[in-house]
């Protein structure tokens, strides 16, 4: 079983890989293949899961990000939200509060001053759509 900080580290690594995929214009799965050292299983699950479900994930984000298109969003915010939506939909074992908190912390750490509030608002709205405990 992974410790909480190991899960946070895996989310951070997944964010790096999703950002790399976006920057290079390649599929998220390709970033896994390009790594010299194979990423840990949770990082792989997150990156590959987002890659497989990106159209559905982006649809949820677009629906809840009022007044924002995906193209207008900071790339880091978008990828943090993609990770969060993936976990909300595909990882019911992770509590909603944990998903939101982890995403907000990543956004605050790596993006703009307003990113934490933006990410929290969008993900909380998505959580209300896809989870019964939200």
């Amino acid at each position: 079983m992974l410790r909480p900080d190991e899960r946070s580290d895996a989310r951070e690594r997944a964010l790096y890989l999703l950002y790399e995929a976006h920057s290079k214009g390649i599929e998220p799965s390709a970033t896994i293949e390009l790594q010299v050292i194979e990423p840990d299983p949770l990082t792989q699950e997150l990156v590959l899961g987002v890659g497989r479900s990106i159209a559905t994930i982006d649809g949820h984000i677009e629906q809840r990000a009022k007044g924002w298109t995906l193209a207008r969003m900071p790339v880091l915010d978008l990828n943090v939200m993609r990770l969060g939506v993936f976990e909300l939909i595909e990882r019911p074992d992770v509590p909603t509060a944990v998903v939101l908190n982890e995403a907000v912390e990543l956004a605050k750490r790596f993006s703009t001053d307003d990113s934490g509030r933006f990410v929290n608002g969008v993900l909380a709205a998505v959580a209300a759509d896809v989870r019964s405990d939200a």
Side-chain angles (χ1 to χ4, degrees), residues 38-98:
E38 184 176 330
D40 62 272
L42 180 55
T43 299
Q44 288 187 50
E45 176 187 347
L46 294 170
V47 171
L48 296 173
V50 168
R52 274 191 311 272
S53 304
I54 202 157
T56 300
I57 291 168
D58 284 355
H60 283 289
I61 295 169
E62 285 179 312
Q63 181 180 1
R64 291 304 183 174
K66 302 295 183 205
W68 284 85
T69 63
L70 297 180
R72 273 190 63 215
M73 292 178 193
V75 174
L76 283 167
D77 292 2
L78 177 57
N79 283 301
V80 166
M81 289 186 289
R82 285 173 171 163
L83 282 169
V85 172
F86 171 75
E87 287 200 274
L88 288 170
I89 295 170
E90 298 294 333
R91 299 194 67 221
D93 57 309
V94 181
T96 301
V98 170

Side-chain angles (χ1 to χ4, degrees), residues 60 85 88-89 125-132 134:
H60 283 289
V85 172
L88 288 170
I89 295 170
V126 171
D129 293 340
V130 300
R131 287 212 170 168
S132 60

